[in-house]
């Protein structure tokens, strides 16, 4: 009985640790995407984007072939997310 309780406690602790690490990674990824977007489109309001919005915009923009296309796409996406 003690072994079952210890195994359950260990499983809960591991789950809590992994969940915390995953949410921290998402936050860091969103911040990195905001920084990259602000370099591509310096006049866009990237601070108001959620982590998911910032990452989605960065993924779209990173596939553009030229800097001009990337800037145009970033500004359009950010404007759309903020409206």
């Amino acid at each position: 009985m003690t072994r079952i309780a210890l195994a359950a406690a260990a499983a809960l602790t591991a789950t809590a640790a992994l969940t915390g690490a995953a949410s921290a990674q998402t936050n860091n990824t969103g911040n990195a995407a905001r920084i990259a977007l602000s370099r591509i489109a310096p006049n866009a309001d990237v601070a108001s984007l959620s982590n998911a919005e910032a990452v989605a915009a960065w993924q779209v923009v990173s596939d553009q072939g030229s800097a001009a296309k990337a800037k145009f796409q970033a500004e359009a996406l950010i404007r759309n997310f903020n409206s």
Side-chain angles (χ1 to χ4, degrees):
M1 192 68 158
T2 309
R3 288 182 183 175
I4 294 172
L6 287 175
L12 286 173
T13 303
T15 302
L18 291 175
T19 303
S23 74
Q25 179 62 35
T26 302
N27 189 23
N28 291 339
T29 304
N31 289 337
R34 278 187 209 84
I35 291 167
L37 288 169
S38 67
R39 289 182 185 145
I40 294 169
N43 296 328
D45 182 20
V46 297
S48 62
L49 296 177
S50 70
N51 288 337
E53 291 170 340
V55 170
W58 168 243
Q59 288 175 340
V60 170
V61 169
S62 66
D63 288 338
Q64 298 302 317
S66 70
K69 286 182 182 178
K71 181 178 180 181
F72 175 78
Q73 188 71 40
E75 288 172 346
L77 284 168
I78 294 165
R79 220 178 7 257
N80 186 36
F81 283 137
N82 287 334
S83 64

